[in-house]
């Protein structure tokens, strides 16, 4: 039977999805399930690791069933995942010893402060390209080892394994046969030297994480494991692995130096391809591994907005302002402008370029004339303004001005947001026909590894434009909005007293 499909497993922060692609890189079928978000304390965010895997395996099977596709028709599986989320489990039983600590979680902020006070931040920045922040996996692993009874002794004895979500999924889909991660995910742990491509002994010592817990680092494109026949009726190679934002850049065909994309998901993530040489940031951005193929490691500059789509979720679930995310745009167009209202959604602090762990959300400029339309419009503008701050820093680091920004993710379908993004940045925004570029990127990495697609040039040629948003806001109005936005950010910064 012809192997006519690649299955992409897209394990996100709020849901697990499976998307089936054909040789034209078209979506054949999609299956998706949300899973439980756990908030045990203010600033803490957790997931049940077993629920992560259960929902992912369920949607994988469901996707094939809905498409009428059998396991033998799959050329490969690609995996992409929420990054930095940290899981530790028993090597023998496969049972997690604690919930997954999610990338948004802030419980290790004080420990990061302590390391900075000890002068360790520069060591991490130089070796990992990352800022010393609770966002990343390394301090989360240490927290689990310090706070779960007996965990440190078990880890030192070689009885525990650590992994980000990609590693956890592969471990379970291979029936405990493979403990691996790829370079893009490894580069988000604070434990990986992006220059040598290896786990770093000095960093492991600082964070007190035993090396024997760590997965093997493999290329992002290449056969890394086999899905056990239990799942699809026969073995299927897992041949593509990438963290969600790197996968999105790959799927959006940002394959050459100087190309950039922004993903509008739970957070927003702007990546600029910097080629085969890591570019150090002088403006509080991250230097990260974009992907690694055989013999080549590609790097990127990245800026992270912690609350993108999470703003819409909060308006829906927290305030009850809307019943469905699709209502946000229609509510925002009921007013001609934001009425002087600015919304800084620092629910779990501010990401790049501020890196303020103690900032919290605020809405300023409210008057008796403010209505829910103004709040909705300010929310949309907040997503675009946070992205603008990152783009400004990125252009300074790169010494170049972007001419276009490719976009993807659920909120990229919001036309008002995309136009607002173009207006505020002064850069054309390009939305592709397929906005599920995270899943597409994982599929492309997997398909290349097994010859399903021949080369990156073929993949780039398959990228298709849906709509281009050109900026048309006056410069005076743009500068006024930026001024007011930065005044609002100042009021959100350092809100939590240390």
């Amino acid at each position: 039977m012809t192997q006519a499909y690649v299955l992409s497993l897209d394990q996100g922060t709020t849901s697990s999805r499976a998307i089936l692609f054909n040789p034209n890189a078209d979506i054949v079928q999609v299956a998706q399930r949300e899973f439980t978000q756990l908030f045990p304390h203010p600033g803490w965010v957790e997931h049940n690791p077993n629920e992560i895997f259960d929902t992912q395996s369920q949607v994988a099977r469901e996707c094939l069933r809905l498409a009428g596709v059998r396991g033998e028709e799959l050329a490969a599986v690609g995996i992409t995942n929420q990054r930095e989320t940290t899981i530790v489990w028993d090597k023998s039983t496969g049972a997690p010893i604690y919930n997954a600590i999610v990338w948004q979680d802030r419980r290790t902020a004080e420990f990061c402060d302590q390391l900075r006070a000890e002068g360790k931040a520069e060591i991490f920045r130089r070796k990992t390209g990352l800022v010393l922040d609770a966002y990343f996996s390394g301090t989360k692993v240490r927290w689990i080892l310090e706070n779960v009874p007996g965990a440190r002794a078990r880890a030192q004895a070689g009885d525990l394994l650590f992994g980000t979500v990609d590693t956890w999924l592969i471990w379970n889909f291979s029936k405990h046969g493979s403990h691996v991660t790829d370079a893009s995910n490894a580069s988000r742990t604070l434990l990986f030297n992006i220059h040598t491509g290896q786990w770093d002994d000095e960093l492991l010592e600082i964070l007190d994480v035993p090396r024997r817990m760590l997965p093997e680092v493999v290329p992002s494109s290449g056969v890394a494991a086999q899905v056990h026949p239990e799942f699809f009726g026969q073995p299927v190679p897992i041949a593509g692995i990438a963290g969600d934002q790197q996968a999105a850049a790959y799927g959006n065909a940002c394959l050459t130096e100087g190309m950039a994309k922004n993903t509008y998901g739970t957070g927003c993530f702007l990546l600029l391809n910097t080629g085969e040489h890591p570019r150090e940031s002088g403006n509080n951005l991250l230097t990260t591994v974009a992907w690694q193929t055989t013999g080549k490691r590609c790097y990127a500059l990245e800026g992270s907005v912690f609350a993108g789509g999470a703003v819409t979720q909060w308006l829906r679930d927290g305030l009850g302002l809307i019943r469905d995310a699709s209502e946000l745009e229609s509510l925002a167009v009921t007013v001609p402008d934001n009425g002087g209202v600015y919304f800084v959604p620092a629910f779990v602090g501010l990401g790049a370029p501020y890196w303020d762990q103690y900032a919290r959300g605020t809405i300023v400029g409210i008057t008796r004339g403010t209505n829910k339309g103004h709040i909705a419009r300010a929310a949309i503008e907040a997503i675009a303004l946070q992205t603008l701050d990152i783009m400004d820093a990125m252009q300074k680091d790169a010494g170049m001005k972007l001419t276009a920004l490719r976009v993807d993710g659920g909120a990229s379908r919001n036309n008002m947001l995309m136009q607002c993004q173009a207006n505020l940045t002064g850069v054309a925004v390009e939305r592709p026909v397929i906005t599920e570029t995270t899943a597409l990127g994982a599929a492309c990495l997997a398909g290349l590894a097994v010859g399903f697609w021949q080369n990156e040039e073929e993949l780039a040629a398959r990228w298709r434009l849906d709509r281009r948003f050109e900026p048309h806001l006056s410069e005076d109005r743009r500068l006024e909005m930026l001024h007011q936005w930065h005044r609002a950010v100042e009021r959100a910064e350092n809100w939590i007293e240390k």
Side-chain angles (χ1 to χ4, degrees), residues 18-36:
I19 302 182
L20 195 65
F21 292 92
N22 66 17
N24 293 323
D26 295 324
I27 293 175
V28 175
Q29 188 57 257
V30 180
Q32 177 173 351
R33 293 193 187 187
E34 293 189 356
F35 56 88
T36 310

Side-chain angles (χ1 to χ4, degrees), residues 399-444:
M400 59 179 283
K401 181 169 175 59
L402 296 181
T403 57
L405 178 66
R406 291 188 171 181
V407 298
D408 56 74
S412 70
R413 292 188 287 271
N414 184 316
N415 290 331
M416 174 180 275
L417 173 58
M418 295 300 96
Q419 187 60 58
C420 183
Q421 191 71 82
N423 287 346
L424 290 169
T425 59
V427 172
V429 169
E430 297 179 340
R431 183 172 64 196
V433 171
I434 295 180
T435 57
E436 302 291 355
T437 55
T438 303
L440 177 58
C444 289

Side-chain angles (χ1 to χ4, degrees), residues 2-6 21-24 73-77 220-223 237-240 250 293-294 442-456 458-459 462:
T2 304
Q3 293 178 329
Y5 305 97
V6 173
F21 292 92
N22 66 17
N24 293 323
E73 295 177 82
L74 292 179
V77 169
S220 310
S221 182
V223 176
I238 298 173
Y250 205 87
T293 55
T294 304
C444 289
L445 288 164
L448 277 179
V450 297
F452 192 75
W453 291 295
Q454 296 307 308
N455 50 49
E456 290 184 344
E458 179 186 354
L459 296 175
R462 293 189 184 281

Side-chain angles (χ1 to χ4, degrees), residues 196-439:
T196 65
Q198 304 290 328
W199 299 117
D200 191 275
D201 287 330
E202 182 181 17
L203 303 178
L204 290 170
E205 183 178 355
I206 293 171
L207 294 181
D208 202 11
V209 174
R211 176 180 276 272
R212 61 200 311 182
M213 295 181 69
L214 305 180
E216 177 189 358
V217 180
V218 299
S220 310
S221 182
V223 176
Q226 297 284 334
V227 176
H228 192 276
E230 172 187 313
F231 296 97
F232 304 137
Q234 69 171 54
V236 179
I238 298 173
I241 312 167
D244 51 10
Q245 302 314 315
Q246 291 96 326
Y250 205 87
N252 226 331
C254 295
L255 304 177
T256 57
E257 186 173 349
M259 297 186 72
K261 71 87 197 176
N262 196 39
T263 295
Y264 299 82
T266 303
C268 293
F269 301 87
L270 183 60
L271 263 73
L272 172 68
N273 185 329
T274 62
E276 294 183 48
H277 302 285
R279 184 165 301 194
E280 194 171 295
S281 174
N283 294 280
N284 287 327
L285 300 182
L286 308 178
T287 304
T288 195
V289 174
W291 47 79
Q292 182 173 316
T293 55
T294 304
K296 184 176 78 169
R297 190 181 306 125
C298 186
Y299 295 89
L301 280 171
E302 177 179 324
S304 307
V305 170
F306 292 159
V311 176
T312 306
Q313 292 169 337
W314 180 71
L315 292 176
R316 181 192 67 192
D317 303 334
L319 287 191
L321 199 65
I322 54 177
R323 289 169 298 179
D324 186 83
S326 62
E327 297 176 10
L328 183 63
E329 184 174 1
S330 58
L331 180 58
V333 297
T334 62
V335 293
D337 55 42
N338 62 21
V341 175
Y342 288 83
F343 177 10
V344 184
F347 302 133
V348 291
L350 287 169
Y354 302 100
W355 294 108
D356 185 347
Q357 305 184 83
Y358 302 102
R360 287 298 179 266
T362 187
I363 302 176
V364 299
I366 297 172
T367 68
R368 280 294 299 271
T370 300
N371 62 40
K372 58 186 180 180
H374 295 114
I375 301 296
R377 195 174 189 104
I380 289 174
E381 291 173 351
I383 299 172
L385 285 160
Q386 290 177 101
T387 298
L388 169 64
D389 283 339
I390 292 172
M391 183 181 288
D392 283 348
M394 191 168 282
Q395 291 178 139
K396 290 174 185 175
D397 279 340
M400 59 179 283
K401 181 169 175 59
L402 296 181
T403 57
L405 178 66
R406 291 188 171 181
V407 298
D408 56 74
S412 70
R413 292 188 287 271
N414 184 316
N415 290 331
M416 174 180 275
L417 173 58
M418 295 300 96
Q419 187 60 58
C420 183
Q421 191 71 82
N423 287 346
L424 290 169
T425 59
V427 172
V429 169
E430 297 179 340
R431 183 172 64 196
V433 171
I434 295 180
T435 57
E436 302 291 355
T437 55
T438 303

Side-chain angles (χ1 to χ4, degrees), residues 84 106 108 112-113 115-116 120-140 187-191 194 203 207 280-288 301-304 306 350-357 397:
E84 299 96 17
R106 311 307 297 168
T108 62
C112 291
D113 289 342
L115 290 176
R116 271 192 294 273
K120 298 293 197 303
E122 177 59 20
I123 298 171
F124 283 97
R125 187 200 60 77
R126 178 167 42 85
K127 291 191 170 189
T128 70
L130 307 177
V131 299
L132 193 50
D133 189 86
Y135 175 30
F136 305 106
S137 309
T139 60
K140 295 174 167 62
S187 73
R188 313 296 296 189
T189 61
L190 288 173
L191 304 171
I194 62 171
L203 303 178
L207 294 181
E280 194 171 295
S281 174
N283 294 280
N284 287 327
L285 300 182
L286 308 178
T287 304
T288 195
L301 280 171
E302 177 179 324
S304 307
F306 292 159
L350 287 169
Y354 302 100
W355 294 108
D356 185 347
Q357 305 184 83
D397 279 340

